[in-house]
Amino acid sequence: MTGLSLLDFLRETSPTEPRAQVWDYVSPSRLMLWGKCPLAFRRRYLDGIESPSTPNLFVGKVVHGVLEHVYRCLDVGTAATADDIPAFVEASWSRTMELEPTFFDDENHEQKCRQQVYDLAAAYLSEINIVEEKPVAIER
């Protein structure tokens, strides 16, 4: 039994709808997924089925959101402090959970992940002088 080549697969599965633009960009991660499992490639890039975030990926996204809050404050002339971190964590946690619900092993695991976000954000603020390091742009 011979498998389809990538080009044959693309010809057979290319939609006629706007999703056809998926072929306009080829990345190493897309090629790796194709190489591992063409069906997974199809489900992700053609059918648009997203895999749920892992708890570790979720923590990283929440930390990123917290730092976005920190730098947005700085952008309007207010320097965030360690006292602001709990509110930023809660806001970012809620927003990220709405956009990408994540499942934790249990409530204890979720609390450990939340604490990790606090610790990472606090460590960042203690190590970086954000007032001197004003960003040119803030990624969303």
Side-chain angles (χ1 to χ4, degrees), residues 60-73:
K61 289 178 180 185
V62 174
V63 170
H64 194 272
V66 169
L67 297 180
E68 179 185 337
H69 282 289
V70 167
Y71 283 106
R72 290 210 181 274
C73 286

Side-chain angles (χ1 to χ4, degrees), residues 46-60:
L46 294 176
D47 299 336
I49 299 172
E50 298 276 340
S51 299
S53 289
T54 64
N56 289 337
L57 183 57
F58 183 81
V59 165

Side-chain angles (χ1 to χ4, degrees), residues 60-105:
K61 289 178 180 185
V62 174
V63 170
H64 194 272
V66 169
L67 297 180
E68 179 185 337
H69 282 289
V70 167
Y71 283 106
R72 290 210 181 274
C73 286
L74 190 60
D75 200 36
V76 296
T78 306
T81 67
D83 294 337
D84 297 316
I85 296 297
F88 293 164
V89 169
E90 292 310 313
S92 182
W93 189 278
S94 297
R95 182 173 181 271
T96 307
M97 189 61 85
E98 271 181 34
L99 296 172
E100 299 180 44
T102 300
F103 301 99
F104 298 92
D105 295 339

Side-chain angles (χ1 to χ4, degrees), residues 29 35 71 82 129:
S29 60
Y71 283 106
N129 185 344

